[in-house]
C-alpha cells in the first residue's frame, strides 16, 4: 500500500491559525480553517470585496482577484486612492461570498441562505519588480481566460505604468458554509402551515455577444471550452483556475 | 398638462452629497450619485458586504439587508461581535455589487466586467423600541417573501432577545456602473486577432426543493409568484421589494 494514512498533524498543517480576528463565533459549527476548504471558495470566485480604512474611515470595494499558494493578487489604477492606501501595508480583510440558496422556514428565526464565504486577513504591497509585475498582469488575464495573454496585445509603457499589481500574504483566514435544507423547531413542522422550500441560486454565463468589430473567421480559443452558455460561473472559474495553475 | 417639467434642482435634490468619501475618482464617468440609480441597485439585492473596524482592524462581512427611504436595515445575533461593534455608532461602508458580464478585449488593459455597484456610508444603531423592532423583524422576511410574516410563527421571547435589528441612515453614497460592450484601442481592432466577446452573467433561481417534512396540499403562497425557476434573482428582489414597499 502506497496510500499514506493522514496523520493528525497533516490536518493541523493545512489549517490557517485561529486568532481573535478569524475565529468564527456565531454558528461556529459552520466555521472552517483548512486550506482545502478556503482555497476552493477563493478559486471558484472572480470577485471579492476588500475592507480597508483611509483616515479611520472604512471602505468596502469590489474587485477581481486570484490566489497563488498563500498569496492573493489584485490590481488597480496606480492613481487610485484605494491602491495607494493599500500599498502602505495597512490591514485588510478580503471576503468572497458565493450565494447558493434561499432557505425558507416556518419561523423568521430559521429563515436562512446557503452560502460559502471566506474572510482573509493580511496586509498588501505593490509588486515593484517589472518582470514579476508583467508576469502578474498576464496571469490576471489567464486566470480567467486560460492562455489569453499569449494572443492579445501586451501592455504598452503607459498601461504598465498606470497599473499597480497588489500582493497580500494570507496571514490568517476562515470560511463559513451553510449547505443544509430547511431546519425548523420540532414543534413548528406540525403546527405552522407555511409552504417551505429551498431555492437554489446560481450565477450563470449567458450566450456570448461577439465584439461587433470582430474579424470574420477568428477561431474560438480552445482553452475557453468551459465558457458554455448556462455554465455556472463558479464551476468555470474553478476549471480555468486549474487550467492556469494546476491543482 | 398636469405633467410637471422637472426643474434643475429636482435633480440636485435626488442626489446624495458628493464628499471626499464617496466621490468616484477612477473611471469617474461611471459614477452616479442620484437616489434613483442607487436605490435601484440596492433594492435588487439580497446581500451586501459591510466594512467596519474593530480595534483598528477592518472586517468585511456579507449579510442580507434592505432599504426604506434613506435608511438601510440588517440584522444579526445580539451576541455577535460585528453587531456589538456596529451598534456603538462606528463608521460603516455597505457595498452592493451585481456582476452583469465578463468583457474580453484585445489588450489586458481593456478587459473588464460589467457591473452595478453602490457604496453607502453612514453609522448604524440598534433599534431598541420593541414595537419598531418587531415590525422590522417582519419586514426582514417580507422584503424577500412578500406577506410571509403573516403565515409563519412569530418570534418567541428568546428569538426576539437573541436578534438585533440594525438601522443606518445613508449619510452619503455613490454608484458605479459599467454597461458597455468590448471597447478597444482603435489600432487593436485590426491588428490583434483575438476572439473577443461579452459574456452576460446572471444570478438565477433554480427549481425549489420542498421541505421534506412539508404537510401535503399546502398552497404555494400567491405572493411568491415571481419565484419562478430560471428567474433572475435581481429581478425577483426588485419585484418583491415593490410588492412589500411600493415603488
Amino acid at each position: 500500500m502506497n496510500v499514506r494514512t493522514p496523520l493528525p498533524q497533516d490536518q493541523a498543517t493545512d489549517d490557517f491559525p485561529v486568532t481573535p480576528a478569524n475565529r468564527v463565533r456565531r454558528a461556529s459549527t459552520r466555521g472552517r480553517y483548512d486550506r482545502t476548504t478556503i482555497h476552493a471558495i477563493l478559486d471558484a470566485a472572480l470577485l471579492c470585496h476588500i475592507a480597508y480604512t483611509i483616515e479611520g474611515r472604512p471602505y468596502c470595494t469590489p474587485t477581481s482577484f486570484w490566489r497563488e499558494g498563500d498569496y492573493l493578487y489584485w490590481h488597480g489604477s496606480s492613481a487610485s486612492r484605494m491602491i495607494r492606501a493599500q500599498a502602505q501595508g495597512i490591514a485588510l480583510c478580503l471576503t468572497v461570498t458565493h450565494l447558493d440558496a434561499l432557505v425558507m422556514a416556518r419561523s423568521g428565526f430559521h429563515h436562512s441562505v446557503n452560502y460559502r464565504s471566506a474572510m482573509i486577513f493580511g496586509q498588501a504591497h505593490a509588486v515593484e519588480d517589472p518582470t514579476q509585475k508583467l508576469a502578474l498582469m498576464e496571469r490576471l488575464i489567464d486566470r480567467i481566460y486560460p492562455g489569453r495573454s499569449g494572443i492579445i496585445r501586451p501592455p504598452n509603457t503607459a498601461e504598465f505604468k498606470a497599473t499597480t499589481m497588489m500582493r497580500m500574504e494570507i496571514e490568517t483566514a476562515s470560511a463559513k458554509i451553510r449547505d443544509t435544507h430547511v431546519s425548523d423547531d420540532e414543534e413548528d413542522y406540525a403546527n405552522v402551515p407555511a409552504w417551505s422550500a429551498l431555492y437554489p441560486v446560481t450565477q450563470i454565463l449567458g450566450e456570448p455577444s461577439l465584439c461587433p468589430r470582430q474579424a470574420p473567421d477568428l477561431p474560438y480559443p480552445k482553452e475557453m471550452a468551459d465558457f458554455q452558455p448556462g455554465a455556472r460561473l463558479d464551476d468555470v472559474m474553478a476549471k480555468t483556475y486549474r487550467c492556469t495553475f494546476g491543482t
Side-chain angles (χ1 to χ4, degrees), chain A:
Chain A
M1 286 286 286
N2 278 320
V3 178
R4 196 167 63 94
T5 305
L7 300 171
Q9 52 265 47
D10 285 356
Q11 183 57 43
T13 308
D14 188 48
D15 277 9
F16 287 105
V18 179
T19 71
N22 71 319
R23 185 162 62 84
V24 174
R25 294 149 196 247
R26 293 303 103 206
S28 60
T29 55
R30 295 180 192 168
R32 315 282 175 89
Y33 303 96
D34 62 287
R35 282 177 171 75
T36 305
T37 299
I38 292 168
H39 291 176
I41 292 170
L42 296 173
D43 301 344
L46 179 72
L47 291 184
C48 65
H49 286 77
I50 306 182
Y52 55 100
T53 59
I54 299 178
E55 295 172 5
R57 184 190 273 278
Y59 292 83
C60 180
T61 301
T63 192
S64 67
F65 82 104
W66 79 98
R67 179 188 69 84
E68 298 182 29
D70 274 349
Y71 292 87
L72 300 179
Y73 296 90
W74 61 95
H75 80 295
S77 161
S78 302
S80 129
R81 187 172 56 159
M82 172 183 90
I83 291 293
R84 283 182 291 136
Q86 291 176 350
Q88 305 299 313
I90 58 175
L92 304 178
C93 175
L94 183 153
T95 296
V96 165
T97 308
H98 300 278
L99 175 63
D100 291 326
L102 312 182
V103 184
M104 307 169 71
R106 294 165 181 81
S107 63
F109 198 74
H110 289 297
H111 278 74
S112 192
V113 294
N114 282 351
Y115 59 89
R116 292 162 286 152
S117 72
M119 289 176 79
I120 315 295
F121 298 92
Q123 304 173 351
H125 298 277
V127 175
E128 306 287 359
D129 177 80
T131 308
Q132 283 181 25
K133 180 177 167 182
L134 181 61
L136 288 172
M137 290 172 80
E138 291 174 349
R139 294 208 289 278
L140 165 67
I141 300 300
D142 291 339
R143 179 268 168 273
I144 303 174
Y145 311 102
R148 189 166 179 84
S149 68
I151 64 168
I152 57 176
R153 172 177 65 68
N156 61 35
T157 306
E159 291 169 350
F160 190 81
K161 194 174 164 194
T163 304
T164 295
M165 299 302 308
M166 301 298 296
R167 166 187 162 108
M168 175 175 108
E169 185 173 11
I170 302 178
E171 185 181 294
T172 191
S174 62
K176 206 167 170 183
I177 295 175
R178 189 193 193 277
D179 61 359
T180 49
H181 211 287
V182 178
S183 177
D184 270 306
D185 286 353
E186 187 53 41
E187 60 270 30
D188 290 339
Y189 287 105
N191 297 336
V192 182
W195 188 92
S196 300
L198 175 155
Y199 274 91
V201 175
T202 49
Q203 206 168 25
I204 62 161
L205 291 178
E207 289 279 351
S209 164
L210 294 189
C211 174
R213 297 182 63 184
Q214 188 99 283
D217 306 326
L218 268 189
Y220 183 83
K222 66 178 190 308
E223 298 85 354
M224 285 179 56
D226 295 318
F227 284 68
Q228 293 301 320
R232 289 174 60 135
L233 183 64
D234 56 356
D235 283 346
V236 173
M237 288 298 105
K239 285 175 181 170
T240 58
Y241 187 89
R242 287 194 297 269
C243 189
T244 296
F245 295 108
T247 46

